[in-house]
Amino acid sequence: MGRTMAGFDICHFERRFVRQLASCGIDLAAAPAIGVAVSGGADSLCLLTALHRVAPAGLAIRVVTVDHNIRPPEESGGDADFVEAYCRSIAVPCRRMTIPPGTVRELARRRGSGIEEAARSLRYDLFARFMEEERVSFLCLAHHRDDQLETIIMRFLQGAGTEALGGIPAVRGSYVRPLLPFSRSQIESYLAALGIPFRTDKTNADTAMLRNCIRARIVPLLDRELPGWQTALLSLAAKMRDDDDALRGLAAAECRDVAFSQGGACVRMDAAAFALLPRAVRRRLLYRAVDAVGARCRVPYRLIADALDAPAAGTPWHGNAAGIEIRCDGADIFVQKEQKVATESGFFVIVKEVGVYAAGCWTVQVERSGDGLVLTASGTPGSSTICIGNLGFPFAFRSRQCGDVIRNASGTYTAVSKILDGWKCGDSRDLVPVLQDFRDAGQQLVCIWGAAAGFKNWLVKV
């Protein structure tokens, strides 16, 4: 293992590699299995080769390669064939996972994102499935030092904040990147010293893609005009990671004070407490809320900035973008997935006291009855009166949202959409009101008010 070939010290490279694995929390002697994502390019071939060479006897290495089907079959399929052949040559099992043709482009169209972003999203979905099915606790990815530099430049040009300017983390959840300290030149020299070929993605030469443009044009300019820029940029990223860790910690600590609570597909925060926090902490709380409601694409900063610049607590405000809605009714801030305007059936109203409320096609009268409430709904779908003993103020009268679940008699939870399908609601499913209790952090659904639209009711008993 410890040889020097063609002026390249293989042993030194692999010792550094083992040290980096350890810094990522990977103990090769103790790990029963390790996953590796391999595309066929120099970086991932280097990752697999180095891991295979330093792995102790008994360590199971499991490879996954993804065919995205966004290039001609002889290229994308050829890459996967190459990876499978190389894995056979070193007796390492390889699992090939294929994304059906057209899937990536369709996802990019639906989200309004680029092809690369859509491909990455689908790829990571497959990675998660691979880790679960192959029972590996972490997956090694082949990002390296040049990738890190390009990423930081790209995010700077896109106006990123400290969280993104920190660059690619060496460890994020189940994903580890042991090649981050190594340059592309060192990686290719390692493979050349061992006589190992690799594949080259022709799209890497397409400078219409921002990353490729940075690699082909901006990096050479900086190398020529600003010696030492790489060290300075990596130092900046380390400082940004430190700052972001501190701010994330502050945001997490403030969740209690702002009454940050999630229920269904909605997050609620106290507007007055929120307004008192530093802007950087408020921004992170908003992003935390966006993540909590399950945003599937990047929310533009414009929406976050508008929410941060909104009038002081006590003044209603509303904004939406990329399928996410942020609004304030004066006392509370709500972050949720945006209702589909095309159906004109989505509705949402917060009920804070006895009175009459308008919500979409519904008018709701709310009255007290003992320890509970009596609600009368009237609208185009029908009318109904219901008495709920375990409901108090505030609560939401709204249409169903993706991801809604409700407790059943056994104490487990059932998807609201499944219940409505069982009632055969058809096109009326988005007209059926649900009632969501906002009195505690759980913000659970307590009723599917099917009788208002001519169906059954589903009531959660205390």
Side-chain angles (χ1 to χ4, degrees), residues 251 254-271 274 281-295 304 307 317 319 323-329 331-339 348 350 394 396 398 401-404 436-445:
E254 294 294 348
C255 282
R256 177 176 296 180
D257 288 342
V258 299
F260 187 104
S261 55
Q262 181 184 358
C266 180
V267 166
R268 180 183 62 148
M269 293 181 280
D270 179 85
F274 181 84
V281 175
R282 286 186 283 131
R283 174 160 58 89
R284 280 161 176 78
L285 284 172
L286 288 173
Y287 277 123
R288 188 186 185 104
V290 167
D291 289 341
V293 300
I304 303 298
W317 179 86
I324 294 295
E325 177 184 18
I326 303 176
R327 59 189 180 80
C328 178
D329 65 2
D332 293 306
I333 295 169
F334 298 91
V335 180
Q336 65 187 66
K337 287 186 177 179
E338 188 179 7
Q339 296 289 342
F348 192 114
I350 304 297
R398 64 173 175 83
Q401 297 171 353
C402 179
D404 275 342
Q436 182 178 2
D437 193 345
F438 277 158
R439 290 176 297 176
D440 58 38
Q443 296 192 15
Q444 306 251 354
L445 296 184

Side-chain angles (χ1 to χ4, degrees), residues 6-29:
F8 186 84
D9 192 335
I10 298 171
C11 181
H12 175 67
F13 183 97
E14 291 174 348
R15 283 199 302 268
R16 284 184 63 202
F17 178 73
V18 171
R19 287 197 299 270
Q20 183 61 19
L21 281 170
S23 73
C24 292
I26 299 176
D27 182 353
L28 293 177

Side-chain angles (χ1 to χ4, degrees), residues 29 64 148 207 363 390 393 432:
V64 58
Q148 182 75 289
T207 54
T363 298
N390 61 329
F393 302 119
V432 175

Side-chain angles (χ1 to χ4, degrees), residues 26-152:
I26 299 176
D27 182 353
L28 293 177
I34 185 169
V36 189
V38 183
S39 67
D43 45 4
S44 62
L45 256 293
C46 169
L47 174 61
L48 173 57
T49 300
L51 184 61
H52 180 255
R53 285 170 56 84
V54 304
L59 173 63
I61 300 174
R62 308 188 191 283
V63 169
V64 58
T65 188
V66 177
D67 182 356
H68 297 82
N69 270 309
I70 53 177
R71 291 181 290 141
E74 63 273 13
E75 293 182 22
S76 62
D79 288 347
D81 292 341
F82 176 82
V83 172
E84 288 182 315
Y86 182 70
C87 287
R88 284 194 297 270
S89 74
I90 60 174
V92 169
C94 175
R95 181 167 175 185
R96 181 171 182 161
M97 305 185 83
T98 302
I99 299 173
T103 303
V104 174
R105 297 186 187 281
E106 173 58 21
L107 180 62
R109 183 194 66 78
R110 289 203 319 266
R111 293 187 180 178
S113 66
I115 293 294
E116 291 300 313
E117 184 176 335
R120 180 185 183 279
S121 176
L122 291 168
R123 180 168 65 251
Y124 274 80
D125 286 345
L126 291 179
F127 285 167
R129 197 175 98 198
F130 168 80
M131 285 189 284
E132 179 181 0
E133 294 176 353
E134 297 295 330
R135 297 182 180 180
V136 295
S137 56
F138 50 82
L139 184 69
C140 291
L141 305 179
H143 299 93
H144 49 74
R145 189 172 186 264
D146 294 58
D147 290 328
Q148 182 75 289
L149 293 165
E150 293 161 7
T151 296
I152 297 167

